[in-house]
Amino acid sequence: MNDMTTPVRRRGRPPKRFDDQFDTRQALVRCGMAVLTEKGFSATGIDSVLRQVGVPKGSFYHYFDSKEAFGREVIAAYADYFARKIDAALDDTSRPPLARLQAFVDDAAAGMARFDFRRGCLIGNLGQEMASLPEAYRAQLEAVFADWERRVARCLAAAQAAGEIGAGVDCARMAAFFWTGWEGAVLRAKLVRAATPLHLFADEFIKALRA
Amino acid sequence: MNDMTTPVRRRGRPPKRFDDQFDTRQALVRCGMAVLTEKGFSATGIDSVLRQVGVPKGSFYHYFDSKEAFGREVIAAYADYFARKIDAALDDTSRPPLARLQAFVDDAAAGMARFDFRRGCLIGNLGQEMASLPEAYRAQLEAVFADWERRVARCLAAAQAAGEIGAGVDCARMAAFFWTGWEGAVLRAKLVRAATPLHLFADEFIKALRA
């Protein structure tokens, strides 16, 4: 029954095939992303993820060494998914740089609307909950923000090069300002179930850049 | 044994005296504030609050009709406590208006540092968790933000009257911008365990006001 091709020993019922195991792992990570984006870690029993994916509770440790390891993988998968989302907007050279930032904001607003403003930002959710999370997540979450900041700073530098914003703007600092405030805007959009806070924040941020 | 002076019937073991009941209620609300400010609702078993206050589990319903009612009361108590904190800074007419806002920021930063950046903002925590909270909290949390915004808008109007910021500044809008981004800064300060995000956000906010 156990024809796993990897030598790793795991507890619980063995998966049928390596491909199944891989697919199930992916399904668990994907479902974890959706659930953590909506509810954060504390409100999310691993059980509900397993149930949604249809994996028996005892099988979890086939796929992940621990709940903490599962969380780390979900964070990494979300960071990767979202970095691609950011790049899709900010690397679109068919638009001037600030319009790319605006496109990112519009896309994020549309994404939240699609889930009726129930889902926010997984990194923001976990940052908020950090006091009750495994300490190892802290550095990982900080690194994700640092990565997103670098991407936005690059876009602001392009805006500067294009003469859209002044030469005196500190792009790295303003990128940090953006992500700091943006997470608050996402939180607030969830609360009011509307994109208003996202647009308010982005509009005033862009105005501040141009001042 | 039951000498409660109120006619309200409650389940569980009766409290010894009315004063005790009042004190215990207050202690539960205060402890709930501390715990929800640090961990949010989902990570907070009512059990841990009862344990910390030394109230037997079965007695909870002496004091509150439901967990939801307890949460409502904790939100109201926090909103009240924090409004007084805001006013202490923003109504201090010994300073010019923008310096009052800066004093609020410095006080908030000192407050977070005092708890090693574990505690953030109860309203922000619950806003973030709204997808897993009783729907009735939504309007209550929104009303708290609206109240805080009015207080900051009043301070910005005073800054305008004093000529610290331009006549063209939309004070209500900038107050909304402040609270939208500020909650993100609090979240981030918890993550990095430092006041840097609070000061970054406030400095750029004040710069934007003055632009």
Side-chain angles (χ1 to χ4, degrees):
Chain A
M1 187 175 155
N2 181 353
D3 57 0
M4 275 172 74
T5 53
T6 68
V8 180
R9 274 171 177 273
R10 292 173 182 281
R11 283 171 276 166
R13 197 143 55 106
K16 292 190 200 82
R17 295 183 298 106
F18 181 76
D19 280 357
D20 274 4
Q21 185 190 29
F22 182 77
D23 291 349
T24 306
R25 265 191 123 260
Q26 290 290 95
L28 288 167
V29 169
R30 267 198 307 274
C31 181
M33 277 169 63
V35 170
L36 290 183
T37 303
E38 181 164 334
K39 302 204 164 177
F41 209 84
S42 308
T44 304
I46 293 282
D47 294 3
S48 93
V49 172
L50 294 172
R51 206 164 44 240
Q52 283 180 54
V53 177
V55 168
K57 207 170 159 179
S59 297
F60 178 77
Y61 294 99
H62 277 305
Y63 303 107
F64 301 97
D65 288 332
S66 62
K67 286 183 185 176
E68 186 178 325
F70 174 64
R72 272 200 304 272
E73 197 149 331
V74 172
I75 294 168
Y78 182 85
D80 188 53
Y81 151 80
F82 207 77
R84 275 181 280 122
K85 242 174 127 66
I86 295 171
D87 287 351
L90 302 192
D91 292 349
D92 174 8
T93 51
S94 73
R95 293 175 164 130
L98 287 189
R100 295 176 215 162
L101 187 62
Q102 186 63 57
F104 164 76
V105 168
D106 294 342
D107 181 53
M112 287 193 73
R114 198 154 47 238
F115 293 100
D116 202 22
F117 297 95
R118 277 179 288 102
R119 295 190 186 172
C121 171
L122 185 143
I123 308 302
N125 283 346
L126 300 198
Q128 190 77 295
E129 289 184 279
M130 198 51 232
S132 13
L133 296 184
E135 190 54 37
Y137 291 178
R138 192 185 300 275
Q140 194 184 3
L141 296 169
E142 284 184 34
V144 174
F145 278 129
D147 175 65
W148 294 353
E149 282 178 16
R150 274 191 298 272
R151 288 167 206 265
V152 168
R154 218 157 49 212
C155 178
L156 299 186
Q160 212 162 32
E164 288 192 295
I165 61 177
V169 172
D170 181 337
C171 296
R173 182 176 168 85
M174 290 307 276
F177 178 57
F178 177 80
W179 282 108
T180 299
W182 178 256
E183 289 294 334
V186 169
L187 181 169
R188 193 68 173 274
K190 287 197 292 184
L191 181 61
V192 300
R193 276 178 300 191
T196 330
L198 302 176
H199 293 301
L200 170 69
F201 181 77
D203 291 354
E204 293 302 327
F205 174 76
I206 289 173
K207 216 196 278 176
L209 280 177
R210 283 184 154 140
Chain B
M1 189 175 156
N2 182 355
D3 57 358
M4 275 172 75
T5 52
T6 67
V8 181
R9 277 174 172 268
R10 294 173 181 278
R11 285 172 274 164
R13 196 142 54 106
K16 292 188 200 82
R17 295 181 298 108
F18 181 77
D19 281 355
D20 275 3
Q21 186 190 29
F22 181 77
D23 291 348
T24 306
R25 266 190 122 260
Q26 290 292 94
L28 287 168
V29 169
R30 268 200 305 274
C31 180
M33 277 170 63
V35 169
L36 290 183
T37 302
E38 182 165 333
K39 300 203 166 176
F41 209 84
S42 306
T44 304
I46 293 282
D47 293 3
S48 94
V49 172
L50 295 172
R51 206 163 43 239
Q52 284 180 52
V53 177
V55 168
K57 206 170 160 178
S59 297
F60 178 76
Y61 294 99
H62 277 304
Y63 304 107
F64 301 96
D65 288 332
S66 61
K67 288 184 186 177
E68 185 176 327
F70 174 65
R72 273 200 303 273
E73 198 150 329
V74 172
I75 294 168
Y78 182 85
D80 189 51
Y81 150 80
F82 207 78
R84 277 181 279 122
K85 241 176 128 64
I86 295 171
D87 287 350
L90 302 193
D91 292 349
D92 173 8
T93 51
S94 73
R95 292 175 165 131
L98 286 188
R100 295 176 216 162
L101 187 63
Q102 185 64 55
F104 164 76
V105 168
D106 294 342
D107 181 54
M112 286 193 75
R114 199 154 46 240
F115 293 101
D116 202 21
F117 298 95
R118 276 178 289 103
R119 294 190 187 172
C121 171
L122 186 142
I123 308 302
N125 283 347
L126 301 198
Q128 190 76 295
E129 290 185 279
M130 200 49 234
S132 14
L133 297 185
E135 190 54 34
Y137 291 178
R138 193 185 298 277
Q140 194 184 2
L141 296 169
E142 284 183 33
V144 174
F145 278 128
D147 175 63
W148 294 354
E149 282 178 16
R150 275 191 298 273
R151 289 167 205 265
V152 168
R154 218 157 49 212
C155 178
L156 299 185
Q160 212 162 33
E164 288 192 296
I165 61 177
V169 172
D170 180 338
C171 295
R173 181 175 167 86
M174 289 308 276
F177 178 57
F178 177 80
W179 282 108
T180 299
W182 179 255
E183 290 294 336
V186 170
L187 180 169
R188 193 68 172 274
K190 287 197 291 183
L191 181 61
V192 300
R193 278 178 301 190
T196 330
L198 303 176
H199 293 302
L200 169 69
F201 181 78
D203 291 354
E204 292 303 327
F205 174 76
I206 289 174
K207 216 196 278 175
L209 279 178
R210 286 184 150 140

